[in-house]
Amino acid sequence: MITESLDLTTIHKQELFSNLKKEEIDFVISHSGVLNLPKNGVLFTSGEKAARFYILTSGEIRVFKKTDDGGEEEMAQFTSGDTIGDFDFARGAVYDASAEAAKDSHLIVFPGTDSTLDSLASQSPSIVCSIMLNAIIMMTGRIKSTNKLVLDNMSWVQDIHRRAYEDAGTGLWKQALIADEIIGKLKSPAALIMIKPDRFKILVDSRGHSAGDEAMIKIALILKNICRQTGEAWPLRFKSNEVGIIINDCNADAAEHITKQLAIEIAGMEKVPAMQIKKSDGTTEEADEFHFSATVSWCIWPLDGENWDNLFQGNYANLLDTWKASGDTIIHFTGQDKP
């Protein structure tokens, strides 16, 4: 062990010491040390109690386990800047693997080899208590993160998550996903595009709900295809036949181009042919050929409004007002909450 001046920044940025005061950091530095480990030098062995942890400042450390046939199983490889064994040290664990230098290595060690945590506690119990409190916080956070990572990647959890937020009729995401997930992932500028098909009630009244469902599936496919072309985007169903897209990193010019593309593709959907419709009184009437069009209202966050909820509600109201007034229109909602 060679005791040298230690880098305050290197010590302070360690998770175990991140919340310590300056005098507490000074105490940690004064009871740390530097270890120069030659290639193949042993850092710790399986079965040894984790009495300290290491910050690798140069070199390379490999962690491995012995196999039943006398070989070795590589577990991890650490390079300059990595911290080794802080979690084991924090919980006072026994190592279940061994570590050695894969090349000449230089490490900062806490506590130094001339100290133990118990001996430090007798000198300054309050500082050691602060360190152990940080250790508990660190372990709790890592356990939660690990559990979330495991859960989020389990296929059945992903399936439940998808079903909870996916509209069964169209495969679009439900509006609830915005508040629960999307709003936390917004990247400025983000485009909010809302669409309402024109004369949809006429289609359903004359051809039945199945015709309306089929039309919504086709519109959903248009939205999904555009989302695949635009990077990070979410195709959504807001209400019965009101749909749209939220697109990250999308400026006004790009959003305007996309809205025009949407309107063209919806208008290009196959027309529903004219047909004789039997009425409830037994008579028949001619249902005219039905062609599709849509009203589109779009805006950019935060350009058109920094408050997402206000912008969303304002754009939705603008969509309905435009649809009622004329339909078959694209309009840019410029926001109501800007100064």
PDB file of all heavy atoms in Angstrom, residues 82-111:
ATOM      1  N   ASP A  82     -13.908   2.686 -13.342  1.00  0.00           N
ATOM      2  CA  ASP A  82     -14.909   1.810 -12.739  1.00  0.00           C
ATOM      3  C   ASP A  82     -14.699   1.676 -11.236  1.00  0.00           C
ATOM      4  O   ASP A  82     -13.591   1.769 -10.726  1.00  0.00           O
ATOM      5  CB  ASP A  82     -14.856   0.407 -13.366  1.00  0.00           C
ATOM      6  CG  ASP A  82     -15.387   0.393 -14.788  1.00  0.00           C
ATOM      7  OD1 ASP A  82     -16.148   1.304 -15.143  1.00  0.00           O
ATOM      8  OD2 ASP A  82     -15.023  -0.527 -15.547  1.00  0.00           O
ATOM      9  N   THR A  83     -15.807   1.455 -10.540  1.00  0.00           N
ATOM     10  CA  THR A  83     -15.783   1.163  -9.109  1.00  0.00           C
ATOM     11  C   THR A  83     -15.997  -0.334  -8.910  1.00  0.00           C
ATOM     12  O   THR A  83     -16.866  -0.926  -9.543  1.00  0.00           O
ATOM     13  CB  THR A  83     -16.889   1.946  -8.372  1.00  0.00           C
ATOM     14  OG1 THR A  83     -16.687   3.348  -8.595  1.00  0.00           O
ATOM     15  CG2 THR A  83     -16.848   1.670  -6.881  1.00  0.00           C
ATOM     16  N   ILE A  84     -15.208  -0.917  -8.045  1.00  0.00           N
ATOM     17  CA  ILE A  84     -15.251  -2.367  -7.846  1.00  0.00           C
ATOM     18  C   ILE A  84     -15.617  -2.676  -6.402  1.00  0.00           C
ATOM     19  O   ILE A  84     -14.947  -2.220  -5.470  1.00  0.00           O
ATOM     20  CB  ILE A  84     -13.883  -3.019  -8.167  1.00  0.00           C
ATOM     21  CG1 ILE A  84     -13.430  -2.625  -9.581  1.00  0.00           C
ATOM     22  CG2 ILE A  84     -13.942  -4.536  -8.023  1.00  0.00           C
ATOM     23  CD1 ILE A  84     -11.989  -2.983  -9.882  1.00  0.00           C
ATOM     24  N   GLY A  85     -16.692  -3.416  -6.211  1.00  0.00           N
ATOM     25  CA  GLY A  85     -17.018  -3.950  -4.891  1.00  0.00           C
ATOM     26  C   GLY A  85     -17.736  -3.022  -3.948  1.00  0.00           C
ATOM     27  O   GLY A  85     -17.873  -3.349  -2.761  1.00  0.00           O
ATOM     28  N   ASP A  86     -18.248  -1.855  -4.418  1.00  0.00           N
ATOM     29  CA  ASP A  86     -18.905  -0.947  -3.471  1.00  0.00           C
ATOM     30  C   ASP A  86     -20.188  -1.541  -2.911  1.00  0.00           C
ATOM     31  O   ASP A  86     -20.515  -1.371  -1.730  1.00  0.00           O
ATOM     32  CB  ASP A  86     -19.168   0.425  -4.108  1.00  0.00           C
ATOM     33  CG  ASP A  86     -20.040   0.360  -5.350  1.00  0.00           C
ATOM     34  OD1 ASP A  86     -20.152  -0.724  -5.938  1.00  0.00           O
ATOM     35  OD2 ASP A  86     -20.594   1.406  -5.740  1.00  0.00           O
ATOM     36  N   PHE A  87     -20.928  -2.285  -3.742  1.00  0.00           N
ATOM     37  CA  PHE A  87     -22.177  -2.889  -3.283  1.00  0.00           C
ATOM     38  C   PHE A  87     -21.891  -3.992  -2.263  1.00  0.00           C
ATOM     39  O   PHE A  87     -22.563  -4.094  -1.229  1.00  0.00           O
ATOM     40  CB  PHE A  87     -22.962  -3.448  -4.477  1.00  0.00           C
ATOM     41  CG  PHE A  87     -24.370  -3.844  -4.147  1.00  0.00           C
ATOM     42  CD1 PHE A  87     -25.333  -2.901  -3.845  1.00  0.00           C
ATOM     43  CD2 PHE A  87     -24.748  -5.178  -4.130  1.00  0.00           C
ATOM     44  CE1 PHE A  87     -26.642  -3.256  -3.534  1.00  0.00           C
ATOM     45  CE2 PHE A  87     -26.048  -5.551  -3.828  1.00  0.00           C
ATOM     46  CZ  PHE A  87     -26.994  -4.592  -3.531  1.00  0.00           C
ATOM     47  N   ASP A  88     -20.892  -4.820  -2.534  1.00  0.00           N
ATOM     48  CA  ASP A  88     -20.510  -5.879  -1.579  1.00  0.00           C
ATOM     49  C   ASP A  88     -20.019  -5.267  -0.270  1.00  0.00           C
ATOM     50  O   ASP A  88     -20.350  -5.740   0.821  1.00  0.00           O
ATOM     51  CB  ASP A  88     -19.414  -6.772  -2.187  1.00  0.00           C
ATOM     52  CG  ASP A  88     -19.909  -7.578  -3.364  1.00  0.00           C
ATOM     53  OD1 ASP A  88     -20.985  -8.185  -3.254  1.00  0.00           O
ATOM     54  OD2 ASP A  88     -19.235  -7.598  -4.404  1.00  0.00           O
ATOM     55  N   PHE A  89     -19.231  -4.203  -0.366  1.00  0.00           N
ATOM     56  CA  PHE A  89     -18.729  -3.529   0.821  1.00  0.00           C
ATOM     57  C   PHE A  89     -19.880  -2.940   1.635  1.00  0.00           C
ATOM     58  O   PHE A  89     -19.926  -3.069   2.868  1.00  0.00           O
ATOM     59  CB  PHE A  89     -17.756  -2.429   0.403  1.00  0.00           C
ATOM     60  CG  PHE A  89     -17.381  -1.480   1.505  1.00  0.00           C
ATOM     61  CD1 PHE A  89     -16.525  -1.871   2.523  1.00  0.00           C
ATOM     62  CD2 PHE A  89     -17.891  -0.192   1.534  1.00  0.00           C
ATOM     63  CE1 PHE A  89     -16.186  -0.993   3.551  1.00  0.00           C
ATOM     64  CE2 PHE A  89     -17.565   0.688   2.549  1.00  0.00           C
ATOM     65  CZ  PHE A  89     -16.700   0.286   3.560  1.00  0.00           C
ATOM     66  N   ALA A  90     -20.827  -2.310   0.955  1.00  0.00           N
ATOM     67  CA  ALA A  90     -21.940  -1.652   1.643  1.00  0.00           C
ATOM     68  C   ALA A  90     -22.772  -2.632   2.447  1.00  0.00           C
ATOM     69  O   ALA A  90     -23.283  -2.299   3.519  1.00  0.00           O
ATOM     70  CB  ALA A  90     -22.816  -0.922   0.631  1.00  0.00           C
ATOM     71  N   ARG A  91     -22.933  -3.854   1.940  1.00  0.00           N
ATOM     72  CA  ARG A  91     -23.756  -4.833   2.654  1.00  0.00           C
ATOM     73  C   ARG A  91     -22.939  -5.846   3.451  1.00  0.00           C
ATOM     74  O   ARG A  91     -23.488  -6.795   4.005  1.00  0.00           O
ATOM     75  CB  ARG A  91     -24.680  -5.552   1.669  1.00  0.00           C
ATOM     76  CG  ARG A  91     -24.007  -6.336   0.585  1.00  0.00           C
ATOM     77  CD  ARG A  91     -24.963  -6.699  -0.546  1.00  0.00           C
ATOM     78  NE  ARG A  91     -24.305  -7.460  -1.605  1.00  0.00           N
ATOM     79  CZ  ARG A  91     -24.336  -8.776  -1.720  1.00  0.00           C
ATOM     80  NH1 ARG A  91     -25.006  -9.495  -0.843  1.00  0.00           N
ATOM     81  NH2 ARG A  91     -23.715  -9.385  -2.711  1.00  0.00           N
ATOM     82  N   GLY A  92     -21.619  -5.620   3.526  1.00  0.00           N
ATOM     83  CA  GLY A  92     -20.772  -6.508   4.313  1.00  0.00           C
ATOM     84  C   GLY A  92     -20.800  -7.945   3.837  1.00  0.00           C
ATOM     85  O   GLY A  92     -20.798  -8.889   4.641  1.00  0.00           O
ATOM     86  N   ALA A  93     -20.810  -8.119   2.525  1.00  0.00           N
ATOM     87  CA  ALA A  93     -20.969  -9.456   1.946  1.00  0.00           C
ATOM     88  C   ALA A  93     -19.640 -10.203   1.872  1.00  0.00           C
ATOM     89  O   ALA A  93     -18.559  -9.645   2.091  1.00  0.00           O
ATOM     90  CB  ALA A  93     -21.560  -9.338   0.542  1.00  0.00           C
ATOM     91  N   VAL A  94     -19.758 -11.476   1.561  1.00  0.00           N
ATOM     92  CA  VAL A  94     -18.596 -12.319   1.276  1.00  0.00           C
ATOM     93  C   VAL A  94     -18.527 -12.479  -0.233  1.00  0.00           C
ATOM     94  O   VAL A  94     -19.531 -12.769  -0.891  1.00  0.00           O
ATOM     95  CB  VAL A  94     -18.731 -13.697   1.960  1.00  0.00           C
ATOM     96  CG1 VAL A  94     -17.621 -14.628   1.505  1.00  0.00           C
ATOM     97  CG2 VAL A  94     -18.710 -13.535   3.485  1.00  0.00           C
ATOM     98  N   TYR A  95     -17.369 -12.245  -0.813  1.00  0.00           N
ATOM     99  CA  TYR A  95     -17.219 -12.361  -2.257  1.00  0.00           C
ATOM    100  C   TYR A  95     -17.515 -13.788  -2.717  1.00  0.00           C
ATOM    101  O   TYR A  95     -17.071 -14.758  -2.097  1.00  0.00           O
ATOM    102  CB  TYR A  95     -15.801 -11.997  -2.689  1.00  0.00           C
ATOM    103  CG  TYR A  95     -15.427 -10.550  -2.487  1.00  0.00           C
ATOM    104  CD1 TYR A  95     -14.352 -10.183  -1.676  1.00  0.00           C
ATOM    105  CD2 TYR A  95     -16.124  -9.536  -3.134  1.00  0.00           C
ATOM    106  CE1 TYR A  95     -13.990  -8.855  -1.503  1.00  0.00           C
ATOM    107  CE2 TYR A  95     -15.781  -8.202  -2.960  1.00  0.00           C
ATOM    108  CZ  TYR A  95     -14.711  -7.873  -2.143  1.00  0.00           C
ATOM    109  OH  TYR A  95     -14.368  -6.556  -1.969  1.00  0.00           O
ATOM    110  N   ASP A  96     -18.272 -13.901  -3.811  1.00  0.00           N
ATOM    111  CA  ASP A  96     -18.529 -15.220  -4.385  1.00  0.00           C
ATOM    112  C   ASP A  96     -17.706 -15.423  -5.656  1.00  0.00           C
ATOM    113  O   ASP A  96     -17.921 -16.367  -6.419  1.00  0.00           O
ATOM    114  CB  ASP A  96     -20.017 -15.414  -4.693  1.00  0.00           C
ATOM    115  CG  ASP A  96     -20.550 -14.397  -5.698  1.00  0.00           C
ATOM    116  OD1 ASP A  96     -19.779 -13.498  -6.117  1.00  0.00           O
ATOM    117  OD2 ASP A  96     -21.735 -14.493  -6.060  1.00  0.00           O
ATOM    118  N   ALA A  97     -16.747 -14.509  -5.889  1.00  0.00           N
ATOM    119  CA  ALA A  97     -15.857 -14.609  -7.040  1.00  0.00           C
ATOM    120  C   ALA A  97     -14.507 -14.005  -6.658  1.00  0.00           C
ATOM    121  O   ALA A  97     -14.371 -13.389  -5.590  1.00  0.00           O
ATOM    122  CB  ALA A  97     -16.458 -13.891  -8.246  1.00  0.00           C
ATOM    123  N   SER A  98     -13.528 -14.196  -7.496  1.00  0.00           N
ATOM    124  CA  SER A  98     -12.191 -13.655  -7.268  1.00  0.00           C
ATOM    125  C   SER A  98     -11.896 -12.572  -8.289  1.00  0.00           C
ATOM    126  O   SER A  98     -12.528 -12.506  -9.349  1.00  0.00           O
ATOM    127  CB  SER A  98     -11.145 -14.766  -7.374  1.00  0.00           C
ATOM    128  OG  SER A  98     -11.396 -15.787  -6.424  1.00  0.00           O
ATOM    129  N   ALA A  99     -10.914 -11.713  -7.951  1.00  0.00           N
ATOM    130  CA  ALA A  99     -10.531 -10.637  -8.862  1.00  0.00           C
ATOM    131  C   ALA A  99      -9.018 -10.513  -8.893  1.00  0.00           C
ATOM    132  O   ALA A  99      -8.348 -10.628  -7.867  1.00  0.00           O
ATOM    133  CB  ALA A  99     -11.165  -9.319  -8.419  1.00  0.00           C
ATOM    134  N   GLU A 100      -8.496 -10.273 -10.089  1.00  0.00           N
ATOM    135  CA  GLU A 100      -7.054 -10.057 -10.244  1.00  0.00           C
ATOM    136  C   GLU A 100      -6.810  -9.068 -11.374  1.00  0.00           C
ATOM    137  O   GLU A 100      -7.693  -8.811 -12.197  1.00  0.00           O
ATOM    138  CB  GLU A 100      -6.327 -11.370 -10.513  1.00  0.00           C
ATOM    139  CG  GLU A 100      -6.638 -12.009 -11.831  1.00  0.00           C
ATOM    140  CD  GLU A 100      -5.816 -13.272 -12.082  1.00  0.00           C
ATOM    141  OE1 GLU A 100      -5.422 -13.957 -11.121  1.00  0.00           O
ATOM    142  OE2 GLU A 100      -5.577 -13.561 -13.269  1.00  0.00           O
ATOM    143  N   ALA A 101      -5.579  -8.528 -11.393  1.00  0.00           N
ATOM    144  CA  ALA A 101      -5.222  -7.552 -12.413  1.00  0.00           C
ATOM    145  C   ALA A 101      -4.930  -8.247 -13.741  1.00  0.00           C
ATOM    146  O   ALA A 101      -4.096  -9.151 -13.796  1.00  0.00           O
ATOM    147  CB  ALA A 101      -4.011  -6.747 -11.955  1.00  0.00           C
ATOM    148  N   ALA A 102      -5.629  -7.823 -14.790  1.00  0.00           N
ATOM    149  CA  ALA A 102      -5.351  -8.353 -16.131  1.00  0.00           C
ATOM    150  C   ALA A 102      -4.138  -7.649 -16.734  1.00  0.00           C
ATOM    151  O   ALA A 102      -3.519  -8.152 -17.670  1.00  0.00           O
ATOM    152  CB  ALA A 102      -6.561  -8.164 -17.025  1.00  0.00           C
ATOM    153  N   LYS A 103      -3.808  -6.485 -16.185  1.00  0.00           N
ATOM    154  CA  LYS A 103      -2.588  -5.752 -16.543  1.00  0.00           C
ATOM    155  C   LYS A 103      -2.218  -4.895 -15.341  1.00  0.00           C
ATOM    156  O   LYS A 103      -3.000  -4.784 -14.380  1.00  0.00           O
ATOM    157  CB  LYS A 103      -2.804  -4.897 -17.778  1.00  0.00           C
ATOM    158  CG  LYS A 103      -3.926  -3.900 -17.670  1.00  0.00           C
ATOM    159  CD  LYS A 103      -4.060  -3.017 -18.906  1.00  0.00           C
ATOM    160  CE  LYS A 103      -4.543  -3.806 -20.095  1.00  0.00           C
ATOM    161  NZ  LYS A 103      -4.887  -2.911 -21.250  1.00  0.00           N
ATOM    162  N   ASP A 104      -1.055  -4.325 -15.324  1.00  0.00           N
ATOM    163  CA  ASP A 104      -0.659  -3.481 -14.197  1.00  0.00           C
ATOM    164  C   ASP A 104      -1.755  -2.445 -13.939  1.00  0.00           C
ATOM    165  O   ASP A 104      -2.205  -1.761 -14.857  1.00  0.00           O
ATOM    166  CB  ASP A 104       0.661  -2.765 -14.502  1.00  0.00           C
ATOM    167  CG  ASP A 104       1.852  -3.723 -14.546  1.00  0.00           C
ATOM    168  OD1 ASP A 104       1.669  -4.895 -14.159  1.00  0.00           O
ATOM    169  OD2 ASP A 104       2.932  -3.311 -14.989  1.00  0.00           O
ATOM    170  N   SER A 105      -2.158  -2.347 -12.659  1.00  0.00           N
ATOM    171  CA  SER A 105      -3.315  -1.512 -12.340  1.00  0.00           C
ATOM    172  C   SER A 105      -3.048  -0.629 -11.133  1.00  0.00           C
ATOM    173  O   SER A 105      -2.262  -0.977 -10.243  1.00  0.00           O
ATOM    174  CB  SER A 105      -4.545  -2.389 -12.063  1.00  0.00           C
ATOM    175  OG  SER A 105      -4.865  -3.162 -13.201  1.00  0.00           O
ATOM    176  N   HIS A 106      -3.749   0.504 -11.117  1.00  0.00           N
ATOM    177  CA  HIS A 106      -3.626   1.495 -10.053  1.00  0.00           C
ATOM    178  C   HIS A 106      -5.032   1.727  -9.500  1.00  0.00           C
ATOM    179  O   HIS A 106      -5.953   2.033 -10.252  1.00  0.00           O
ATOM    180  CB  HIS A 106      -3.030   2.786 -10.628  1.00  0.00           C
ATOM    181  CG  HIS A 106      -2.817   3.869  -9.632  1.00  0.00           C
ATOM    182  ND1 HIS A 106      -1.651   4.004  -8.910  1.00  0.00           N
ATOM    183  CD2 HIS A 106      -3.626   4.894  -9.242  1.00  0.00           C
ATOM    184  CE1 HIS A 106      -1.747   5.063  -8.114  1.00  0.00           C
ATOM    185  NE2 HIS A 106      -2.931   5.617  -8.304  1.00  0.00           N
ATOM    186  N   LEU A 107      -5.197   1.587  -8.179  1.00  0.00           N
ATOM    187  CA  LEU A 107      -6.526   1.685  -7.582  1.00  0.00           C
ATOM    188  C   LEU A 107      -6.504   2.574  -6.345  1.00  0.00           C
ATOM    189  O   LEU A 107      -5.516   2.596  -5.597  1.00  0.00           O
ATOM    190  CB  LEU A 107      -7.059   0.309  -7.178  1.00  0.00           C
ATOM    191  CG  LEU A 107      -7.106  -0.775  -8.256  1.00  0.00           C
ATOM    192  CD1 LEU A 107      -5.922  -1.718  -8.092  1.00  0.00           C
ATOM    193  CD2 LEU A 107      -8.404  -1.563  -8.161  1.00  0.00           C
ATOM    194  N   ILE A 108      -7.593   3.280  -6.103  1.00  0.00           N
ATOM    195  CA  ILE A 108      -7.834   3.956  -4.831  1.00  0.00           C
ATOM    196  C   ILE A 108      -8.642   2.995  -3.966  1.00  0.00           C
ATOM    197  O   ILE A 108      -9.578   2.347  -4.443  1.00  0.00           O
ATOM    198  CB  ILE A 108      -8.611   5.269  -5.044  1.00  0.00           C
ATOM    199  CG1 ILE A 108      -7.773   6.257  -5.864  1.00  0.00           C
ATOM    200  CG2 ILE A 108      -9.015   5.889  -3.713  1.00  0.00           C
ATOM    201  CD1 ILE A 108      -8.513   7.523  -6.252  1.00  0.00           C
ATOM    202  N   VAL A 109      -8.290   2.896  -2.690  1.00  0.00           N
ATOM    203  CA  VAL A 109      -8.895   1.913  -1.793  1.00  0.00           C
ATOM    204  C   VAL A 109      -9.506   2.621  -0.587  1.00  0.00           C
ATOM    205  O   VAL A 109      -8.885   3.523  -0.005  1.00  0.00           O
ATOM    206  CB  VAL A 109      -7.841   0.910  -1.285  1.00  0.00           C
ATOM    207  CG1 VAL A 109      -8.498  -0.202  -0.485  1.00  0.00           C
ATOM    208  CG2 VAL A 109      -7.041   0.341  -2.435  1.00  0.00           C
ATOM    209  N   PHE A 110     -10.738   2.224  -0.227  1.00  0.00           N
ATOM    210  CA  PHE A 110     -11.345   2.716   1.017  1.00  0.00           C
ATOM    211  C   PHE A 110     -12.021   1.556   1.744  1.00  0.00           C
ATOM    212  O   PHE A 110     -12.770   0.800   1.132  1.00  0.00           O
ATOM    213  CB  PHE A 110     -12.382   3.801   0.765  1.00  0.00           C
ATOM    214  CG  PHE A 110     -13.043   4.262   2.033  1.00  0.00           C
ATOM    215  CD1 PHE A 110     -12.421   5.194   2.850  1.00  0.00           C
ATOM    216  CD2 PHE A 110     -14.269   3.732   2.431  1.00  0.00           C
ATOM    217  CE1 PHE A 110     -13.030   5.600   4.038  1.00  0.00           C
ATOM    218  CE2 PHE A 110     -14.875   4.137   3.619  1.00  0.00           C
ATOM    219  CZ  PHE A 110     -14.245   5.079   4.430  1.00  0.00           C
ATOM    220  N   PRO A 111     -11.750   1.446   3.080  1.00  0.00           N
ATOM    221  CA  PRO A 111     -10.686   2.105   3.830  1.00  0.00           C
ATOM    222  C   PRO A 111      -9.315   1.593   3.378  1.00  0.00           C
ATOM    223  O   PRO A 111      -9.221   0.521   2.787  1.00  0.00           O
ATOM    224  CB  PRO A 111     -10.965   1.687   5.282  1.00  0.00           C
ATOM    225  CG  PRO A 111     -12.326   1.095   5.280  1.00  0.00           C
ATOM    226  CD  PRO A 111     -12.558   0.550   3.923  1.00  0.00           C
TER     227      PRO A 111
END
